[in-house]
CSV table of all heavy atoms in Angstrom, one decimal:
chain,number,residue,atom,x,y,z
A,1,LYS,N,43.1,20.5,-31.3
A,1,LYS,CA,44.2,19.9,-30.5
A,1,LYS,C,43.8,19.9,-29.0
A,1,LYS,O,44.1,18.9,-28.3
A,1,LYS,CB,45.5,20.6,-30.8
A,1,LYS,CG,46.3,19.9,-31.9
A,1,LYS,CD,47.8,20.4,-31.8
A,1,LYS,CE,48.7,19.6,-32.7
A,1,LYS,NZ,50.1,20.0,-32.6
A,2,ARG,N,43.3,21.0,-28.5
A,2,ARG,CA,42.9,21.1,-27.1
A,2,ARG,C,41.8,20.1,-26.8
A,2,ARG,O,41.8,19.5,-25.7
A,2,ARG,CB,42.5,22.5,-26.7
A,2,ARG,CG,43.6,23.5,-26.8
A,2,ARG,CD,43.2,24.9,-26.3
A,2,ARG,NE,43.1,24.9,-24.8
A,2,ARG,CZ,44.1,25.2,-24.0
A,2,ARG,NH1,45.3,25.4,-24.5
A,2,ARG,NH2,44.0,25.2,-22.7
A,3,LEU,N,40.9,19.9,-27.7
A,3,LEU,CA,39.8,19.0,-27.5
A,3,LEU,C,40.4,17.6,-27.3
A,3,LEU,O,40.0,16.8,-26.4
A,3,LEU,CB,38.8,19.0,-28.6
A,3,LEU,CG,37.5,18.2,-28.5
A,3,LEU,CD1,36.4,18.9,-29.2
A,3,LEU,CD2,37.6,16.8,-29.0
A,4,ILE,N,41.3,17.2,-28.2
A,4,ILE,CA,41.9,15.8,-28.1
A,4,ILE,C,42.7,15.7,-26.9
A,4,ILE,O,42.8,14.6,-26.3
A,4,ILE,CB,42.6,15.5,-29.4
A,4,ILE,CG1,41.7,15.6,-30.7
A,4,ILE,CG2,43.3,14.1,-29.4
A,4,ILE,CD1,42.4,15.6,-32.0
A,5,ALA,N,43.4,16.8,-26.5
A,5,ALA,CA,44.2,16.7,-25.3
A,5,ALA,C,43.4,16.5,-24.1
A,5,ALA,O,43.8,15.6,-23.2
A,5,ALA,CB,45.0,18.1,-25.2
A,6,TYR,N,42.3,17.2,-23.9
A,6,TYR,CA,41.4,16.9,-22.8
A,6,TYR,C,40.8,15.5,-22.9
A,6,TYR,O,40.6,14.8,-21.8
A,6,TYR,CB,40.3,18.0,-22.7
A,6,TYR,CG,40.8,19.3,-22.1
A,6,TYR,CD1,40.9,20.4,-22.9
A,6,TYR,CD2,41.1,19.4,-20.8
A,6,TYR,CE1,41.3,21.6,-22.4
A,6,TYR,CE2,41.6,20.6,-20.2
A,6,TYR,CZ,41.6,21.7,-21.0
A,6,TYR,OH,42.1,22.9,-20.5
A,7,SER,N,40.5,15.1,-24.1
A,7,SER,CA,40.0,13.7,-24.3
A,7,SER,C,41.0,12.7,-23.8
A,7,SER,O,40.7,11.7,-23.1
A,7,SER,CB,39.7,13.4,-25.7
A,7,SER,OG,39.4,12.1,-26.0
A,8,SER,N,42.3,12.9,-24.0
A,8,SER,CA,43.4,12.0,-23.5
A,8,SER,C,43.4,12.0,-22.0
A,8,SER,O,43.5,10.9,-21.4
A,8,SER,CB,44.7,12.5,-24.0
A,8,SER,OG,44.8,12.5,-25.4
A,9,ILE,N,43.2,13.1,-21.3
A,9,ILE,CA,43.2,13.1,-19.9
A,9,ILE,C,42.0,12.3,-19.3
A,9,ILE,O,42.2,11.5,-18.4
A,9,ILE,CB,43.1,14.6,-19.3
A,9,ILE,CG1,44.3,15.4,-19.8
A,9,ILE,CG2,43.0,14.6,-17.8
A,9,ILE,CD1,44.1,16.9,-19.6
A,10,ALA,N,40.9,12.4,-20.0
A,10,ALA,CA,39.7,11.6,-19.6
A,10,ALA,C,39.9,10.1,-19.8
A,10,ALA,O,39.6,9.3,-18.9
A,10,ALA,CB,38.5,12.1,-20.3
A,11,HIS,N,40.5,9.8,-20.9
A,11,HIS,CA,40.7,8.3,-21.2
A,11,HIS,C,41.8,7.8,-20.2
A,11,HIS,O,41.7,6.6,-19.8
A,11,HIS,CB,41.1,8.1,-22.6
A,11,HIS,CG,39.9,8.2,-23.6
A,11,HIS,ND1,39.7,9.3,-24.4
A,11,HIS,CD2,38.9,7.4,-23.8
A,11,HIS,CE1,38.6,9.1,-25.1
A,11,HIS,NE2,38.1,7.9,-24.7
A,12,MET,N,42.8,8.6,-19.9
A,12,MET,CA,43.8,8.1,-18.9
A,12,MET,C,43.2,7.9,-17.5
A,12,MET,O,43.8,7.2,-16.7
A,12,MET,CB,45.0,9.0,-18.9
A,12,MET,CG,45.8,9.0,-20.2
A,12,MET,SD,46.4,7.4,-20.6
A,12,MET,CE,47.6,7.1,-19.3
A,13,GLY,N,42.1,8.6,-17.2
A,13,GLY,CA,41.4,8.4,-16.0
A,13,GLY,C,40.9,7.0,-15.9
A,13,GLY,O,40.9,6.4,-14.8
A,14,PHE,N,40.5,6.4,-17.0
A,14,PHE,CA,40.1,5.0,-17.0
A,14,PHE,C,41.3,4.1,-16.6
A,14,PHE,O,41.2,3.1,-15.9
A,14,PHE,CB,39.6,4.6,-18.4
A,14,PHE,CG,38.1,4.5,-18.5
A,14,PHE,CD1,37.4,5.6,-19.0
A,14,PHE,CD2,37.4,3.4,-18.1
A,14,PHE,CE1,36.1,5.6,-19.1
A,14,PHE,CE2,36.0,3.4,-18.2
A,14,PHE,CZ,35.4,4.5,-18.7
A,15,VAL,N,42.5,4.5,-17.1
A,15,VAL,CA,43.7,3.7,-16.9
A,15,VAL,C,44.1,3.7,-15.4
A,15,VAL,O,44.3,2.6,-14.8
A,15,VAL,CB,44.9,4.2,-17.7
A,15,VAL,CG1,46.2,3.5,-17.3
A,15,VAL,CG2,44.6,4.0,-19.2
A,16,THR,N,44.1,4.9,-14.8
A,16,THR,CA,44.4,4.9,-13.3
A,16,THR,C,43.3,4.3,-12.5
A,16,THR,O,43.7,3.6,-11.4
A,16,THR,CB,44.6,6.4,-12.9
A,16,THR,OG1,43.5,7.2,-13.3
A,16,THR,CG2,45.8,7.0,-13.5
A,17,LEU,N,42.1,4.3,-12.9
A,17,LEU,CA,41.0,3.7,-12.2
A,17,LEU,C,41.2,2.2,-12.2
A,17,LEU,O,41.1,1.5,-11.1
A,17,LEU,CB,39.6,4.0,-12.8
A,17,LEU,CG,38.4,3.4,-12.1
A,17,LEU,CD1,38.2,3.8,-10.7
A,17,LEU,CD2,37.1,3.7,-13.0
A,18,GLY,N,41.4,1.6,-13.4
A,18,GLY,CA,41.6,0.2,-13.5
A,18,GLY,C,42.9,-0.3,-12.8
A,18,GLY,O,42.9,-1.4,-12.2
A,19,THR,N,43.9,0.5,-12.7
A,19,THR,CA,45.2,0.1,-12.1
A,19,THR,C,45.0,-0.1,-10.6
A,19,THR,O,45.6,-1.0,-10.0
A,19,THR,CB,46.2,1.2,-12.3
A,19,THR,OG1,46.5,1.4,-13.7
A,19,THR,CG2,47.5,0.9,-11.6
A,20,PHE,N,44.1,0.7,-10.0
A,20,PHE,CA,44.0,0.6,-8.5
A,20,PHE,C,42.8,-0.2,-8.1
A,20,PHE,O,42.4,-0.1,-6.9
A,20,PHE,CB,44.0,2.0,-7.9
A,20,PHE,CG,45.3,2.6,-7.8
A,20,PHE,CD1,45.9,3.2,-8.8
A,20,PHE,CD2,46.0,2.6,-6.6
A,20,PHE,CE1,47.2,3.8,-8.7
A,20,PHE,CE2,47.3,3.1,-6.4
A,20,PHE,CZ,47.9,3.7,-7.5
A,21,MET,N,42.2,-1.1,-9.0
A,21,MET,CA,41.2,-2.0,-8.6
A,21,MET,C,41.8,-3.4,-8.1
A,21,MET,O,41.1,-4.2,-7.6
A,21,MET,CB,40.2,-2.2,-9.7
A,21,MET,CG,39.3,-1.1,-9.9
A,21,MET,SD,38.2,-0.8,-8.5
A,21,MET,CE,38.8,0.7,-7.9
A,22,PHE,N,43.1,-3.6,-8.4
A,22,PHE,CA,43.8,-4.8,-8.0
A,22,PHE,C,43.1,-6.1,-8.5
A,22,PHE,O,43.2,-7.1,-7.8
A,22,PHE,CB,43.9,-4.8,-6.5
A,22,PHE,CG,44.7,-3.7,-5.9
A,22,PHE,CD1,44.1,-2.6,-5.4
A,22,PHE,CD2,46.1,-3.8,-5.8
A,22,PHE,CE1,44.8,-1.5,-4.9
A,22,PHE,CE2,46.8,-2.8,-5.3
A,22,PHE,CZ,46.2,-1.6,-4.8
A,23,THR,N,42.5,-6.1,-9.6
A,23,THR,CA,42.0,-7.3,-10.2
A,23,THR,C,42.7,-7.5,-11.6
A,23,THR,O,43.1,-6.6,-12.2
A,23,THR,CB,40.5,-7.2,-10.5
A,23,THR,OG1,40.2,-6.1,-11.3
A,23,THR,CG2,39.7,-7.1,-9.2
A,24,GLN,N,42.7,-8.8,-12.0
A,24,GLN,CA,43.4,-9.1,-13.3
A,24,GLN,C,42.7,-8.4,-14.4
A,24,GLN,O,43.4,-7.9,-15.3
A,24,GLN,CB,43.3,-10.7,-13.4
A,24,GLN,CG,44.0,-11.2,-14.6
A,24,GLN,CD,45.5,-11.5,-14.3
A,24,GLN,OE1,45.8,-11.7,-13.1
A,24,GLN,NE2,46.3,-11.7,-15.3
A,25,GLN,N,41.4,-8.4,-14.4
A,25,GLN,CA,40.6,-7.9,-15.5
A,25,GLN,C,40.8,-6.4,-15.6
A,25,GLN,O,41.1,-5.8,-16.7
A,25,GLN,CB,39.1,-8.2,-15.3
A,25,GLN,CG,38.5,-8.6,-16.6
A,25,GLN,CD,37.1,-9.3,-16.3
A,25,GLN,OE1,36.7,-9.3,-15.2
A,25,GLN,NE2,36.5,-9.9,-17.3
A,26,ALA,N,40.7,-5.7,-14.5
A,26,ALA,CA,40.8,-4.2,-14.5
A,26,ALA,C,42.2,-3.8,-14.8
A,26,ALA,O,42.4,-2.8,-15.6
A,26,ALA,CB,40.4,-3.6,-13.1
A,27,MET,N,43.2,-4.5,-14.3
A,27,MET,CA,44.6,-4.1,-14.5
A,27,MET,C,45.0,-4.3,-16.0
A,27,MET,O,45.7,-3.5,-16.6
A,27,MET,CB,45.5,-4.8,-13.6
A,27,MET,CG,46.7,-3.9,-13.0
A,27,MET,SD,47.6,-4.7,-11.7
A,27,MET,CE,46.8,-4.0,-10.3
A,28,GLU,N,44.6,-5.5,-16.5
A,28,GLU,CA,44.9,-5.8,-17.9
A,28,GLU,C,44.1,-4.8,-18.8
A,28,GLU,O,44.6,-4.4,-19.9
A,28,GLU,CB,44.5,-7.2,-18.3
A,28,GLU,CG,45.5,-8.2,-17.7
A,28,GLU,CD,45.2,-9.7,-18.1
A,28,GLU,OE1,44.3,-9.9,-19.0
A,28,GLU,OE2,45.8,-10.6,-17.5
A,29,GLY,N,42.9,-4.5,-18.4
A,29,GLY,CA,42.1,-3.5,-19.2
A,29,GLY,C,42.8,-2.1,-19.2
A,29,GLY,O,42.8,-1.4,-20.2
A,30,ALA,N,43.4,-1.7,-18.0
A,30,ALA,CA,44.1,-0.5,-18.0
A,30,ALA,C,45.3,-0.5,-18.9
A,30,ALA,O,45.6,0.5,-19.6
A,30,ALA,CB,44.5,-0.2,-16.5
A,31,LEU,N,46.1,-1.6,-18.9
A,31,LEU,CA,47.3,-1.7,-19.7
A,31,LEU,C,46.9,-1.7,-21.2
A,31,LEU,O,47.5,-1.1,-22.0
A,31,LEU,CB,48.0,-2.9,-19.3
A,31,LEU,CG,49.5,-3.1,-19.9
A,31,LEU,CD1,50.3,-1.9,-19.6
A,31,LEU,CD2,50.1,-4.3,-19.3
A,32,PHE,N,45.8,-2.5,-21.5
A,32,PHE,CA,45.3,-2.6,-22.9
A,32,PHE,C,44.8,-1.2,-23.3
A,32,PHE,O,45.0,-0.8,-24.5
A,32,PHE,CB,44.2,-3.6,-23.0
A,32,PHE,CG,43.9,-4.0,-24.4
A,32,PHE,CD1,44.6,-5.1,-25.0
A,32,PHE,CD2,43.0,-3.4,-25.2
A,32,PHE,CE1,44.3,-5.5,-26.3
A,32,PHE,CE2,42.7,-3.7,-26.5
A,32,PHE,CZ,43.4,-4.8,-27.0
A,33,GLY,N,44.2,-0.5,-22.4
A,33,GLY,CA,43.7,0.9,-22.7
A,33,GLY,C,44.8,1.8,-23.0
A,33,GLY,O,44.7,2.7,-23.9
A,34,MET,N,46.0,1.7,-22.3
A,34,MET,CA,47.1,2.5,-22.6
A,34,MET,C,47.6,2.3,-24.0
A,34,MET,O,47.9,3.3,-24.7
A,34,MET,CB,48.3,2.2,-21.6
A,34,MET,CG,48.0,2.6,-20.2
A,34,MET,SD,49.1,1.8,-19.0
A,34,MET,CE,50.7,2.2,-19.6
A,35,ILE,N,47.7,1.0,-24.4
A,35,ILE,CA,48.1,0.7,-25.8
A,35,ILE,C,47.1,1.3,-26.8
A,35,ILE,O,47.5,1.9,-27.8
A,35,ILE,CB,48.3,-0.8,-26.0
A,35,ILE,CG1,49.3,-1.3,-25.0
A,35,ILE,CG2,48.7,-1.1,-27.4
A,35,ILE,CD1,49.2,-2.8,-24.7
A,36,SER,N,45.9,1.0,-26.6
A,36,SER,CA,44.8,1.5,-27.5
A,36,SER,C,44.8,3.0,-27.6
A,36,SER,O,44.7,3.5,-28.7
A,36,SER,CB,43.5,0.9,-27.1
A,36,SER,OG,42.5,1.5,-27.9
A,37,HIS,N,44.9,3.6,-26.5
A,37,HIS,CA,44.9,5.1,-26.5
A,37,HIS,C,46.1,5.6,-27.2
A,37,HIS,O,46.1,6.7,-27.9
A,37,HIS,CB,44.9,5.7,-25.1
A,37,HIS,CG,44.9,7.1,-25.0
A,37,HIS,ND1,46.0,7.9,-24.8
A,37,HIS,CD2,43.9,8.1,-25.2
A,37,HIS,CE1,45.7,9.2,-24.8
A,37,HIS,NE2,44.5,9.3,-25.1
A,38,GLY,N,47.2,4.9,-27.1
A,38,GLY,CA,48.4,5.3,-27.9
A,38,GLY,C,48.2,5.4,-29.4
A,38,GLY,O,48.6,6.3,-30.1
A,39,PHE,N,47.5,4.4,-29.9
A,39,PHE,CA,47.2,4.3,-31.3
A,39,PHE,C,46.1,5.4,-31.7
A,39,PHE,O,46.3,6.2,-32.6
A,39,PHE,CB,46.6,3.0,-31.7
A,39,PHE,CG,47.6,1.8,-31.5
A,39,PHE,CD1,47.1,0.6,-31.1
A,39,PHE,CD2,48.9,2.0,-31.7
A,39,PHE,CE1,48.0,-0.5,-30.9
A,39,PHE,CE2,49.8,0.9,-31.5
A,39,PHE,CZ,49.3,-0.3,-31.1
A,40,VAL,N,45.0,5.5,-30.9
A,40,VAL,CA,43.9,6.3,-31.3
A,40,VAL,C,44.3,7.8,-31.2
A,40,VAL,O,44.0,8.6,-32.1
A,40,VAL,CB,42.7,6.0,-30.5
A,40,VAL,CG1,41.5,6.9,-30.8
A,40,VAL,CG2,42.2,4.5,-30.7
A,41,ALA,N,44.8,8.2,-30.0
A,41,ALA,CA,45.2,9.6,-29.8
A,41,ALA,C,46.2,10.1,-30.8
A,41,ALA,O,46.1,11.2,-31.3
A,41,ALA,CB,45.6,9.8,-28.4
A,42,ALA,N,47.2,9.2,-31.0
A,42,ALA,CA,48.3,9.5,-32.0
A,42,ALA,C,47.6,9.8,-33.4
A,42,ALA,O,48.0,10.7,-34.1
A,42,ALA,CB,49.3,8.4,-32.1
A,43,ALA,N,46.7,8.9,-33.8
A,43,ALA,CA,46.1,9.0,-35.1
A,43,ALA,C,45.2,10.3,-35.2
A,43,ALA,O,45.2,11.0,-36.2
A,43,ALA,CB,45.2,7.8,-35.3
A,44,LEU,N,44.5,10.6,-34.1
A,44,LEU,CA,43.7,11.9,-34.1
A,44,LEU,C,44.6,13.1,-34.3
A,44,LEU,O,44.2,14.1,-35.0
A,44,LEU,CB,42.8,12.0,-32.9
A,44,LEU,CG,41.6,11.0,-32.8
A,44,LEU,CD1,41.0,11.0,-31.5
A,44,LEU,CD2,40.6,11.3,-33.9
A,45,PHE,N,45.7,13.1,-33.6
A,45,PHE,CA,46.6,14.3,-33.7
A,45,PHE,C,47.2,14.3,-35.1
A,45,PHE,O,47.5,15.4,-35.7
A,45,PHE,CB,47.7,14.2,-32.7
A,45,PHE,CG,47.3,14.7,-31.3
A,45,PHE,CD1,47.2,13.9,-30.2
A,45,PHE,CD2,47.0,16.1,-31.2
A,45,PHE,CE1,46.8,14.4,-29.0
A,45,PHE,CE2,46.5,16.6,-29.9
A,45,PHE,CZ,46.5,15.7,-28.8
A,46,LEU,N,47.5,13.1,-35.7
A,46,LEU,CA,48.0,13.1,-37.1
A,46,LEU,C,46.9,13.7,-38.1
A,46,LEU,O,47.2,14.3,-39.0
A,46,LEU,CB,48.3,11.7,-37.5
A,46,LEU,CG,49.6,11.1,-36.9
A,46,LEU,CD1,49.7,9.6,-37.1
A,46,LEU,CD2,50.8,11.8,-37.4
A,47,CYS,N,45.6,13.3,-37.8
A,47,CYS,CA,44.5,13.9,-38.6
A,47,CYS,C,44.5,15.4,-38.5
A,47,CYS,O,44.3,16.1,-39.6
A,47,CYS,CB,43.2,13.3,-38.1
A,47,CYS,SG,42.9,11.6,-38.5
């Protein structure tokens, strides 16, 4: 659980990075990454 928790922090770093690039691609990538991480991290904790 601690490993997946730290993994979540690292992946959310991508989200904050993309958010502050002020481009359509990076910002949509950050938002899409939030959704994807919601599925993947949730599933790993369920495992």
Side-chain angles (χ1 to χ4, degrees):
K1 268 197 169 184
R2 292 186 77 87
L3 187 148
I4 300 167
Y6 281 112
S7 170
S8 296
I9 299 168
H11 283 105
M12 290 304 290
F14 261 97
V15 172
T16 51
L17 178 64
T19 299
F20 280 81
M21 284 298 110
F22 296 95
T23 58
Q24 186 88 17
Q25 225 164 7
M27 219 172 266
E28 286 182 12
L31 191 53
F32 195 90
M34 287 161 60
I35 300 160
S36 171
H37 180 262
F39 298 143
V40 175
L44 286 173
F45 280 114
L46 288 169
C47 288

